[in-house]
Amino acid sequence: MLNVVGCLVETHDLRLVVLAAATCGLSALTTVCLVDHARRTAAWVQVGWLAVAAFAGGSGIWATHFIAMLAFAPGVPGGYDLGLTALSLVLAIALVGAGVALSVSVGGRAAAWAGGGVVGLGIAAMHYTGMAAYDVAGHKAWDPAAVAASLALSVLLGGAALSARPGGRGLARQLPAALLLLLAICGHHFTAMGAVTVTPDPTMAVSEAAVPNAWLAVAVALASFTILLMAGAALALDLRDRRHAQLEADRLHSLANAAVEGLVVCTGDTVVSANRSFAKLAGRPQAGLPGSSLSAYLPGEATRLLMAGHPERPVEVELRRADGTLIPVEVIMQPVEHAGRPHYAVAVRDLRARRQAESRIAFLAHHDALTGLANRASFGQRLDLEMRAADVGGRKLAVLCLDLDRFKEVNDLFGHAAGDAMLEAVARIVSAELDGTQTMARLGGDEFAVLMPCEHATAAGGLAERILEALRAGRAEGGGPSIATSIGVALYPDDTRERAALLNFADTALYRAKSEGRGTYRFFEARMGAEVHERRSLEHDLRHAVARGEMELVYQPQTEVGTGEVIGFEALLRWRHPERGHVPPSVFIPIAEESDIILRIGEWVLREACREAAGWPRPLSIAVNVSAVQIHSPDLVGLVHEVLLGTGLAPGRLEVEITETALISDPNRALLTLRQLKAVGVRVAMDDFVTGYSSLSNLRSFPFDKIKIDGSFTRAVDTNEQTAAIVRSVLGLGRGLGLPVLAEGVETEAELGFLAAERCHAVQGYLLGRPSPIAAFSRHTHGIVRQDAA
């Protein structure tokens, strides 16, 4: 060591020594950068970069040696053998190239140490070949120990240089390896220079072929310039790589942040990076995620074992947010390589929306979407459970079937939104009347059912009364139409022990409640079954009666009292059933109105009556009865207008007869319809006057053209003073309002005489003509006058 220091201080120009060290450092850094760049390139490009690195490293070692040799001043003349000097440069480049090729091509730490050792041997080979090229006027003596030390120093430090893999980015990452390579070159050179002793000999002379120091300086200058070019290229490559790496990193971050799923890259339990979606899921700022623990977000050893046991397969776990709440997520773990080291990426998908959708689907499978009540399938399952519970507990089970009255009219008049609001209101109001043991379901349309475990039938009746009262007091949201319903009740096991029969019996009782006035409830009775079956059979046949040609019209004349002349006819409907024969209107008309078949039948009656009247030579009026369902139908006015146009009947010849009961449920709608009919030119008559609830107010409010006195008041008008007083009052009211009055049901001459004396305008009844096919009245419709009448 003292020899080395003495050699450095006593026989070297320190300024050139510093220049040699700087050249060596620049060369070492350039070589390390080029080798690192070669490691990241494809195989066919890698060879070229390794060749450039070999040239930079070898020429750097050679330039360092000879700059230091220029600084060496042993005090005797000297020169350099050209062949050996050139050989030293070739050896340096070849061995450095072999070393870096071994390190990069084979890969691994052992190959790096071996390649570095070869580079160290290249440093030694270049140095001792260069010393052999040094021609001096004297003798050179070598210290074997120092020579061995210089060899060991270059080999060990060269291996350490190529095997160094520090962290950091850019040039800072290359500095440790460059420093080790610098120490290997400089350390070997000055240790080896300390191993040589030059003894001057006046008898010896420097060969004339030796290259003088001035020429060597030119060669060294060229080598140094080459190293500077290499260094510039290495720096440019490094800057380019850094920019490319930054752009690539930014692109990857952008892509990661654009992903809907959360993405996390981890090493062990440490988060290296995470995208914006994961930060949002975790409820933390994205910048604070790197360095945190993955277990803070996916807690539990079982979770991590589950993920590790199913790589590349989705696993459903829970993610802990910053506020401590847990949310369901699906994670997929994938091994990846990040920054040259093994990591694993975790994709995290939020399952809350999917869980909500699954929950909604499961709910809809057992509940009604509009009201939230149990649906038919769920109700059937609950009914089975309650029936078994009733058997075990020795209790009864009541089934209440509810059906809204005139619900179709609500939809037709106010729209389906109002109908939906009414259904929701029914569900809300009735549910408020139930306790925890009772269940309500919507079976479909406007049909509801309630299950009620009870001890006695009276409890079921009490619940039915409470439901009816609550619905009478309640209205749909937004002040819609009033709610009316009918209820049928069947008991298990009193009425039946079969589920299907129990529901059927409750429905039968409901049908009875509707047929007996609506707005009430009825318990099932055994005799109801046959009656309801008969009624439903009639309803089924009635639906097809028009299409099968079973319906027909008969006509009853309307006669002017003063002249006895027929002024018009009333069209009356008859049903001739192929098996039942003549079915009275009092039987089938209520069924038609309850089931809305009346709309189809009413349209047929209107078309047929107008078609018939349009063919009469005499322009007599034709009166057609219109039910409450038709009056409240939004299509009635359009239908009348279309029929009049189609048949060619003058609007003034058509008279629409309605009863007072048709005006009660929705007076405003009825008033609008009547005014629209009047605008078309159709006349309107009030049928069955005096039998309603508010006759006088109706006459004042509605645009009637005629009043018809019900036949129940006409009969015995000549013998019953009270009846006579009522008829006189109506006739006087008609004269006061300027409305003609027609009396129905006239069957005797005495009744006709009374009406004539009281100045009744027109009459209708068996006395003047029974309802018959129109052919029986051809003399009136065609203007034929009998000879005896003349």
Side-chain angles (χ1 to χ4, degrees):
M1 178 60 71
L2 292 177
N3 288 341
V4 173
V5 174
C7 172
L8 181 62
V9 174
E10 296 175 3
T11 62
H12 284 76
D13 185 342
L14 293 181
R15 292 172 297 178
L16 291 176
V17 169
V18 172
L19 178 60
T23 302
C24 181
L26 186 59
S27 172
L29 183 59
T30 301
T31 303
V32 170
C33 288
L34 290 170
V35 170
D36 186 67
H37 183 72
R39 284 194 177 102
R40 300 195 299 270
T41 57
W44 63 275
V45 180
Q46 194 176 77
V47 174
W49 285 113
L50 288 175
V52 175
F55 187 80
S59 61
I61 295 169
W62 186 83
T64 300
H65 171 78
F66 283 102
I67 291 174
M69 288 304 295
L70 289 174
F72 181 58
V76 293
Y80 296 90
D81 182 85
L82 182 60
L84 291 176
T85 301
L87 178 62
S88 67
L89 176 61
V90 172
L91 287 174
I93 294 173
L95 290 175
V96 168
V100 297
L102 175 63
S103 173
V104 173
S105 301
V106 177
R109 188 164 292 275
W113 275 100
V118 173
V119 171
L121 291 175
I123 296 170
M126 191 288 309
H127 178 85
Y128 288 110
T129 304
M131 289 302 295
Y134 181 50
D135 189 5
V136 65
H139 301 282
K140 294 179 284 188
W142 297 92
D143 182 358
V147 170
S150 67
L151 285 172
L153 194 62
S154 62
V155 170
L156 290 175
L157 288 176
L162 292 191
S163 64
R165 293 282 168 73
R169 301 178 60 184
L171 290 176
R173 188 163 60 92
Q174 318 297 345
L175 287 177
L179 180 60
L180 289 170
L181 188 56
L182 169 66
L183 292 176
I185 297 171
C186 293
H188 171 83
H189 176 83
F190 291 108
T191 302
M193 290 302 293
V196 65
T197 302
V198 178
T199 305
D201 187 351
T203 64
M204 297 180 66
V206 178
S207 173
E208 294 181 357
V211 178
N213 287 346
W215 288 24
L216 180 63
V218 173
V220 170
L222 290 174
S224 300
F225 181 71
T226 302
I227 294 171
L228 288 174
L229 287 178
M230 295 290 185
L235 180 61
L237 284 174
D238 186 73
L239 291 175
R240 190 199 69 177
D241 288 347
R242 290 175 62 184
R243 285 196 301 270
H244 180 74
Q246 185 63 41
L247 290 174
E248 189 68 16
D250 291 342
R251 187 179 70 86
L252 291 176
H253 285 148
S254 297
L255 289 174
N257 286 328
V260 176
E261 296 178 344
L263 296 175
V264 186
V265 177
C266 300
T267 174
D269 191 44
T270 303
V271 175
V272 176
S273 65
N275 68 348
R276 189 180 297 117
S277 296
F278 183 80
K280 185 176 180 181
L281 278 177
R284 296 179 182 273
Q286 186 178 4
L289 292 175
S292 61
S293 298
L294 183 63
S295 58
Y297 313 110
L298 299 174
E301 186 66 25
T303 296
R304 290 187 290 279
L305 290 175
L306 191 62
M307 291 168 56
H310 299 84
E312 302 182 16
R313 286 178 52 190
V315 177
E316 294 188 6
V317 296
E318 288 186 322
L319 182 140
R320 187 188 301 278
R321 292 172 53 84
D323 57 6
T325 59
L326 297 175
I327 61 173
V329 295
E330 181 184 76
V331 297
I332 302 176
M333 188 182 72
Q334 174 78 40
V336 296
E337 185 171 330
H338 179 72
R341 289 185 292 175
H343 291 69
Y344 62 90
V346 180
V348 184
R349 177 180 299 165
D350 190 354
L351 294 183
R352 285 177 293 183
R354 192 174 83 182
R355 292 284 176 84
Q356 289 175 357
E358 291 172 350
S359 176
R360 179 65 177 167
I361 292 172
F363 178 84
L364 292 178
H366 299 89
H367 295 81
D368 174 55
L370 177 65
T371 62
L373 298 174
N375 59 14
R376 183 181 289 273
S378 180
F379 179 80
Q381 296 173 1
R382 182 62 183 268
L383 178 56
D384 289 337
L385 293 175
E386 292 292 350
M387 289 170 65
R388 289 197 291 269
D391 290 337
V392 173
R395 296 181 289 111
K396 299 181 186 299
L397 177 64
V399 176
L400 288 73
C401 282
L402 291 75
D403 186 276
L404 301 186
D405 298 335
R406 307 290 188 190
F407 180 69
K408 187 177 185 302
E409 295 178 21
V410 174
N411 277 331
D412 291 342
L413 296 176
F414 302 99
H416 289 284
D420 290 346
M422 177 175 283
L423 294 175
E424 291 175 331
V426 169
R428 184 182 67 256
I429 293 170
V430 176
S431 296
E433 299 296 322
L434 306 181
D435 59 30
T437 65
Q438 299 158 357
T439 303
M440 183 179 185
R442 182 188 177 197
L443 304 183
D446 61 330
E447 301 176 42
F448 297 87
V450 175
L451 284 180
M452 178 189 182
C454 59
E455 300 293 337
H456 304 285
T458 54
L463 177 61
E465 290 178 354
R466 291 197 302 274
I467 290 174
L468 290 173
E469 185 60 33
L471 290 175
R472 291 189 192 103
R475 294 177 76 86
E477 293 291 340
S482 58
I483 304 172
T485 188
S486 302
I487 302 177
V489 185
L491 294 174
Y492 174 88
D494 296 3
D495 295 327
T496 180
R497 300 189 67 87
E498 296 181 4
R499 187 183 80 170
L502 185 65
L503 290 172
N504 187 50
F505 289 169
D507 192 50
T508 298
L510 168 64
Y511 205 85
R512 171 55 63 89
K514 295 176 78 69
S515 65
E516 293 184 356
R518 304 174 183 268
T520 185
Y521 72 95
R522 291 289 182 269
F523 281 93
F524 173 77
E525 299 175 9
R527 61 183 178 83
M528 289 182 181
E531 295 176 359
V532 170
H533 176 76
E534 175 69 14
R535 190 178 181 90
R536 288 184 173 174
S537 178
L538 272 175
E539 179 182 333
H540 176 269
D541 293 344
L542 187 59
R543 291 187 182 277
H544 307 283
V546 172
R548 293 170 179 171
E550 298 171 6
M551 292 293 180
E552 63 180 22
L553 290 182
V554 295
Y555 298 85
Q556 188 171 32
Q558 298 175 338
T559 306
E560 192 176 64
V561 174
T563 63
E565 182 180 0
V566 173
I567 58 175
F569 290 89
E570 179 180 2
L572 301 173
L573 182 63
R574 296 293 183 264
W575 181 18
R576 296 192 180 276
H577 195 279
E579 297 175 358
R580 303 173 187 271
H582 176 71
V583 181
S586 59
V587 173
F588 73 80
I589 291 296
I591 296 175
E593 290 183 335
E594 291 173 5
S595 59
D596 293 329
I597 306 174
I598 194 65
L599 293 174
R600 192 183 317 154
I601 295 177
E603 179 180 347
W604 179 84
V605 170
L606 181 64
R607 290 185 184 277
E608 185 66 17
C610 290
R611 183 195 61 78
E612 177 63 44
W616 299 340
R618 292 186 63 193
L620 303 178
S621 65
I622 182 70
V624 178
N625 289 282
V626 176
S627 71
V629 177
Q630 290 175 278
I631 283 293
H632 294 132
S633 171
D635 302 323
L636 177 63
V637 177
L639 173 65
V640 170
H641 189 261
E642 185 258 318
V643 169
L644 291 174
L645 290 176
T647 60
L649 182 69
R653 293 179 60 192
L654 177 61
E655 186 174 270
V656 173
E657 296 185 1
I658 64 171
T659 61
E660 289 182 286
T661 54
L663 311 175
I664 295 173
S665 60
D666 190 359
N668 293 330
R669 179 67 187 181
L671 177 59
L672 176 62
T673 301
L674 295 183
R675 285 178 174 173
Q676 290 174 335
L677 289 173
K678 292 282 290 181
V680 172
V682 176
R683 293 182 297 157
V684 180
M686 176 181 280
D687 198 11
D688 299 338
F689 188 67
V690 189
T691 61
Y693 301 99
S694 54
S695 303
L696 297 180
S697 62
N698 285 336
L699 285 176
R700 183 183 62 184
S701 303
F702 291 89
F704 292 110
D705 297 295
K706 180 188 290 186
I707 300 173
K708 296 187 70 175
I709 300 177
D710 186 67
S712 62
F713 289 91
T714 303
R715 296 185 189 94
V717 71
D718 56 325
T719 59
N720 189 312
E721 288 298 327
Q722 290 182 339
T723 302
I726 292 173
V727 173
R728 285 193 191 97
S729 299
V730 174
L731 292 172
L733 180 63
R735 286 192 295 272
L737 295 174
L739 295 177
V741 179
L742 184 148
E744 297 181 300
V746 178
E747 299 181 355
T748 66
E749 291 289 347
E751 293 170 353
L752 179 60
F754 175 86
L755 294 170
E758 295 296 332
R759 293 183 291 169
C760 180
H761 176 259
V763 292
Q764 176 182 338
Y766 284 179
L767 179 65
L768 304 156
R770 290 178 175 273
S772 304
I774 195 62
F777 305 105
S778 60
R779 66 182 183 277
H780 298 296
T781 58
H782 291 71
I784 302 174
V785 181
R786 293 178 302 174
Q787 294 295 325
D788 57 354

